[in-house]
Amino acid sequence: MLLRSTLIAISICSLTSEVYAKEQLNLHMTDAPPLTITNSIDDHGMVGDVVLAAISRAGYHVHLRVAPWLRAQKMVTEGDNQLIVPMSRTPERENLYTWIAPIMSMDRAFFSLYNPVADLAEARERYKRIAVGVGTPQFEFLKSQGFSDDQLVTIKLNDNPGQLLELGRVDAWFTGVPEGLYHWAGSRKKLRRSSVMFSTDIYLACSKRCDKVLVDELRQAVEALRREGVVQTIQDGYLLSAKGSH
């Protein structure tokens, strides 16, 4: 984590003498490791670290607001100038938010303890109970692909789907690949992953009513971090940590 923290500090401090801190921004962030982490002082996830660095680089203070995911989305859509991560950009959400900048792309797949499925048709046939996050694009996707309500076991973002798998309460878990690898780190049982079923870009988003200057400044800050290689270094660090634990 040291290299990642050092790079973030450099990206922030490089502009300290050039800008004065502006008003405080509310950033709504749920605990969805490794994308966003809310219970650590130094590490806030492969999306969270990038967003916090960009906010500081743009010269703003930030107030982290941690709430259940559905409540966080409601507060942002009903408010003004409220930031939120990690937010997948989907057709259903397109007109509800201001999409500031993509942070990363994320693949979704089925995770199980047995031979992985090859496609959605096989998943519909084999899996009787699938754990899937409530209020997530994964849930919306499975519903759009004909999976029944009886097949979908909704879980909160900070629940432990690995335990549900090990206890046999669900047949599979449908989630983002980085999340699956992260949650399964250190387990004695081998988790099997299917092929990628769909992907979305993960964004820093804002309320629909969002100040244009704020949007432009944060967008430019994210892109500057990407050009400098900071975004990739942060994300590689979390992915290597997850894979190295297997």
Side-chain angles (χ1 to χ4, degrees), residues 26-129:
N26 287 325
L27 175 62
H28 299 262
M29 189 166 78
T30 195
D31 196 49
L35 303 182
T36 49
I37 298 171
T38 60
N39 59 357
S40 171
I41 296 175
D42 298 321
D43 300 312
H44 292 90
M46 57 199 302
V47 173
D49 281 352
V50 173
V51 168
L52 289 172
I55 291 172
S56 294
R57 188 184 184 101
Y60 292 92
H61 289 301
V62 64
H63 173 59
L64 282 181
R65 303 192 63 175
V66 179
W69 191 227
L70 289 177
R71 187 189 307 167
Q73 293 179 62
K74 186 174 187 292
M75 287 190 289
V76 173
T77 55
E78 293 180 353
D80 296 345
N81 300 321
Q82 302 293 303
L83 303 176
I84 186 168
V85 288
M87 181 59 66
S88 292
R89 189 170 186 172
T90 65
E92 296 82 3
R93 294 172 171 171
E94 184 64 31
N95 295 323
L96 298 177
Y97 299 93
T98 299
W99 301 95
I100 295 178
I103 307 300
M104 62 179 285
S105 179
M106 189 167 73
D107 296 333
R108 270 70 168 201
F110 290 100
F111 288 83
S112 70
L113 298 177
Y114 308 104
N115 290 336
V117 295
D119 51 35
L120 290 169
E122 185 180 357
R124 278 192 298 268
E125 178 67 25
R126 275 182 50 188
Y127 297 147
K128 306 305 179 186
R129 293 176 63 80

Side-chain angles (χ1 to χ4, degrees), residues 138-190:
Q138 294 91 268
F139 180 83
E140 297 166 3
F141 177 77
L142 291 182
K143 289 288 291 182
S144 72
Q145 296 299 313
F147 287 79
S148 69
D149 291 337
D150 291 340
Q151 285 179 286
L152 304 183
V153 179
T154 55
I155 58 174
K156 297 177 182 178
L157 289 180
N158 57 353
D159 284 345
N160 188 347
Q163 187 176 45
L164 296 178
L165 282 169
E166 290 185 314
L167 294 174
R169 294 178 181 173
V170 296
D171 303 312
W173 174 30
F174 190 57
T175 190
V177 171
E179 293 171 292
L181 294 175
Y182 181 90
H183 280 282
W184 207 253
S187 174
R188 290 175 296 178
K189 293 187 177 181
K190 184 177 181 181

Side-chain angles (χ1 to χ4, degrees), residues 7-8 10-12 14-15 57 220-233:
L7 283 170
I8 295 171
I10 290 173
S11 70
I12 295 171
S14 64
L15 295 185
R57 188 184 184 101
Q220 291 170 16
V222 170
E223 290 312 309
L225 293 173
R226 196 184 310 281
R227 289 194 304 271
E228 294 163 8
V230 175
V231 173
Q232 192 65 52
T233 299

